[in-house]
Each structure stands twice: as structure tokens, then as C-alpha cells.
Amino acid sequence: MRKPLRLGVLAGVVLLAVGGASAPAAAHRPGRWCSSRPATTAALHDLTTTHRLAGAAIEVQGPDCGRWSAASGRADLRTGRPMRVDERIRIGSSTKTFTATVVLQLVAEGRVGLDAPIETYLPGLVRGNGHDGRRISVRDLLRHTSGLPDHVDALDWDHVDRWRYQSFSPGELVAMALAQPAPGAGWHYSTTNYVLAGLIVERVTGRDIGVEITRRIIGPLGLSDTYWPGDSVRIRGAHPRGYALAGAERRRDMTEFNMSYGGAGGALVSTLADQNRFFAALFGGRLLDPVRLAALTQTVPADPDRLWPAARYGLGIISTPLADCGGSLYWGHGGTTPGFRTLGGVTADGRRAQLVVNDEPASYESWQALSATLHAALCEAR
């Protein structure tokens, strides 16, 4: 999902200082290049000091030395509890990669046609107001070239408390989107695309997308800290609090939230370690055959205002150049929910990293700093 909260968020907003922000606590296994990562450590600490985000954590894994992780700042501003790397978080739009993987598995099984119109599976659902499911393919949904609006834009972000505990059905979300005018030609990021993809999975398999993600991905990969939350507004197990801006004066605790508004495009709860394991398995060929993996990575240019400069979008996956690594790419996704921002991915040589902050960046510079931290983690001492 795109950045959701619009509670007085402006470039240059001054945040309240996070009292007693701690230096990053690091844990690692010695190895050739990741036993010490000063640039990554400094960038992570910069997020909670210079940019004054509540807390930040990162986990890096690589083929040469295993796992390295670090955390900075606070998991809970009320108690002062330090941020940790091993707790559960909402991963937002990284859910899209899980959903796309399930759809492509169904394509491999001959149960879904990637270039078939979505009308084949959801007859009559996408019609009216200039929208027509007969002219939209499954591929269009997965790569955001459907031309459909985003229901997330229709939600009342100025009065979040009126609906943050509400349960939305996929049908309600689709109707919300279709009531909006078409966004125009070209690439347009829309979580509604993935709500529809989830409905296709349900129509074909007879099971909810959360069930299919669990049985096809979470279970086989042993992602013990990843789960589909359904209508539960709480995060099970140990987790940081998630904060969002409410004007320049204060932060709000947004940890409790019904994520049905994101559905197949943004509902999952996971950890940094589980996300690293998922992306490693995906690009290691454990979830998709070579033909379907090639389809996943066929990209189109993305709108930098909806993602970031030079990003290209495949089928539920984003490619991003790593200028500090000699122009190599990483493949991954990011996610924003009320209270959490995640970013991460994997490179061709198997290096992978996942980053989370439990706060809402208040300026463009803060958003850039998140990307810079991930790039440092993937490129440092390569």
C-alpha cells in the first residue's frame, strides 16, 4: 500500500525528540565482509537521531557470513523499551509479493491464465464508471497496469479512528475503488489490483487468500513468525509499538489496526528474518519454476512519485538499482501501514536485507534516509 497517513504530514515538520535514543545494538556472526558494518550501523542510528524516528531495526544475510542485525531507538516510547530485530511487525505492501507468488503458482498449475481477462474469474465484478474487467488481464493486476483506482485513496485518512477497527470485505474495497474515476493511462499503483487478485485465488481454489498464502508459502518455508491476521487488530507475540504523526505536536500509537483494508495487498504480519527467508526462497527457485520466475521479473517503469526514482515493477516485485554497488539491482518490495514502514530485498548474488521503522517519516529527507540505509546494508564492503 502507498503511504497511508495524512495526519498533518508535511516536509519540514519538526518532530518531538525521542528521549534517550540509544546507539544501535548489533549482533552478528563473524565472516569475511559482514562481521563489521560501520556504514550500515551509522545510517541506522541516523534514522533515530537526525531523523528522530522512534525505532529502527535491520537484518542482513549473505552467502559469505550468515546473519548480521542491528537495532536503534525505542520499540515503546511510553516505557522506553529498546527496539529489537526479532519482533513481529506489519509488513504492508510486501504482502503483494506473497499474493503474486500464489497467483503464479496457480498459473503454473494451469488453473489461472496470466493473460486471461479477469472477467473470466470474476464475471461482472469490474464494470461501470469507465472500468471493464473484460479489458484487464491477470498480469495487469499484478504489475499495476490495470488502470484501476486505489481504494486506499478513498479512505478517510483525516479521521482514521472512525474506521481503523472496521472490517472491510474485499467486495467493499473493490466497490470503493470503482466509484472513483480512472487514474489515466499508464502505470498506476493500486492495492485494489491485489484485492482482486486475492478474489481470483479464492474463486479458483475455494479458499481465502490468507489460507492459500499460509499453505503454499508460510508453512512450507517454516515462516513461524508470519501470519495472516484476519480481523484481529492486535499483533500476536512480541512486537514494537507503531507510531504515526498527528500534526507537529505529537505521535499517535497506531499499533492496533484492522488490516482488512489492505487485504491481499497489505495485511500480513511477519519479522525481518522471515521476510529475508521468503525472498531468498523465492529467488532461489523454491516457490516458482524458472518460467514463472522469469514472468515475475519482467518489469515496466514505475511512477517515482508512487515508489522511488529508477524503480521498475514486475509481478508483485520491484527492481531498484544499487548505485553504490556498481549499478547492480536488488529485487524486493516495501510496505507502509499505520505505524510501520518496511523496505527490503535480495541481490543476484544472494545478499539480502530487511529494514523496519516503527514510525512515520516526517519529510522527504527521512524517506530518502530509509532507502539509503537499505542500500548501505546491501552494498557495504561488498
Side-chain angles (χ1 to χ4, degrees):
M1 292 168 292
R2 63 175 296 189
K3 181 165 133 0
L5 290 182
R6 304 184 179 102
L7 305 178
V9 182
L10 298 171
V13 168
V14 178
L15 293 178
L16 295 177
V18 181
S22 59
H28 57 78
R29 297 173 184 171
R32 185 170 65 82
W33 54 261
C34 69
S35 60
S36 177
R37 302 183 71 84
T40 306
T41 302
L44 191 72
H45 189 44
D46 189 53
L47 293 174
T48 59
T49 54
T50 303
H51 298 284
R52 298 182 179 181
L53 297 173
I58 195 166
E59 180 183 282
V60 184
Q61 294 185 13
D64 292 335
C65 66
R67 176 180 173 184
W68 180 94
S69 59
S72 180
R74 304 299 179 189
D76 188 324
L77 296 180
R78 183 180 63 82
T79 66
R81 183 169 68 85
M83 193 73 169
R84 293 174 56 95
V85 301
D86 58 352
E87 295 188 339
R88 290 173 175 169
I89 52 177
R90 301 194 192 280
I91 65 170
S93 282
S94 291
T95 303
K96 291 179 171 68
T97 314
F98 287 75
T99 296
T101 300
V102 170
V103 173
L104 286 168
Q105 288 178 345
L106 293 171
V107 171
E109 294 166 11
R111 303 169 73 182
V112 171
L114 194 53
D115 292 307
I118 63 174
E119 179 81 6
T120 303
Y121 310 101
L122 304 172
L125 182 60
V126 179
R127 292 286 185 90
N129 200 22
H131 311 300
D132 189 346
R134 294 169 295 185
R135 299 198 298 264
I136 299 169
S137 70
V138 175
R139 190 190 303 269
D140 286 328
L141 294 182
L142 298 183
R143 71 181 179 188
H144 296 301
T145 53
S146 68
L148 292 174
D150 191 344
H151 70 270
V152 175
D153 293 335
L155 292 166
D156 185 359
W157 292 101
D158 292 324
H159 303 94
V160 175
D161 286 340
R162 294 178 181 175
W163 58 270
R164 66 185 282 193
Y165 299 106
Q166 182 176 339
S167 176
F168 292 96
S169 71
E172 288 175 311
L173 300 178
V174 172
M176 211 182 297
L178 298 184
Q180 301 179 75
W187 189 89
H188 178 75
Y189 190 92
S190 172
T191 294
T192 307
N193 288 323
Y194 277 77
V195 173
L196 288 164
L199 286 172
I200 290 173
V201 170
E202 182 175 352
R203 180 64 59 90
V204 168
T205 67
R207 290 180 286 268
D208 178 83
I209 181 63
V211 173
E212 286 297 287
I213 286 175
T214 301
R215 66 185 291 268
R216 290 171 174 266
I217 300 175
I218 294 173
L221 295 183
L223 306 181
S224 58
D225 286 309
T226 302
Y227 71 94
W228 189 263
D231 280 332
S232 174
V233 302
R234 297 178 178 175
I235 301 174
R236 300 199 303 254
H239 59 274
R241 309 302 297 177
Y243 299 96
L245 298 174
E249 297 293 322
R250 62 191 179 93
R251 287 182 174 91
R252 291 193 62 196
D253 187 327
M254 303 296 284
T255 312
E256 293 188 354
F257 220 99
N258 188 316
M259 289 305 301
S260 61
Y261 88 89
L268 279 175
V269 172
S270 189
T271 60
L272 301 179
D274 273 7
Q275 288 184 87
N276 269 331
R277 191 174 300 118
F278 165 68
F279 280 103
L282 178 60
F283 281 85
R286 292 183 58 189
L287 296 171
L288 296 176
D289 61 57
V291 173
R292 258 50 67 170
L293 191 56
L296 182 93
T297 56
Q298 290 176 352
T299 61
V300 295
D303 181 353
D305 290 336
R306 300 292 296 223
L307 292 181
W308 45 81
R312 295 179 64 88
Y313 207 92
L315 304 184
I317 200 78
I318 303 168
S319 72
T320 305
L322 288 166
D324 295 337
C325 298
S328 61
L329 296 173
Y330 81 86
W331 293 91
H333 216 290
T336 300
T337 71
F340 297 94
R341 175 72 164 105
T342 63
L343 187 63
V346 60
T347 63
D349 61 1
R351 286 171 296 127
R352 50 201 181 271
Q354 290 289 333
L355 169 70
V356 65
V357 294
N358 61 330
D359 205 347
E360 182 177 7
S363 67
Y364 178 69
E365 291 74 20
S366 296
W367 288 97
Q368 284 184 311
L370 294 178
S371 179
T373 302
L374 181 69
H375 285 219
L378 290 171
C379 294
E380 187 169 14
R382 182 169 180 247

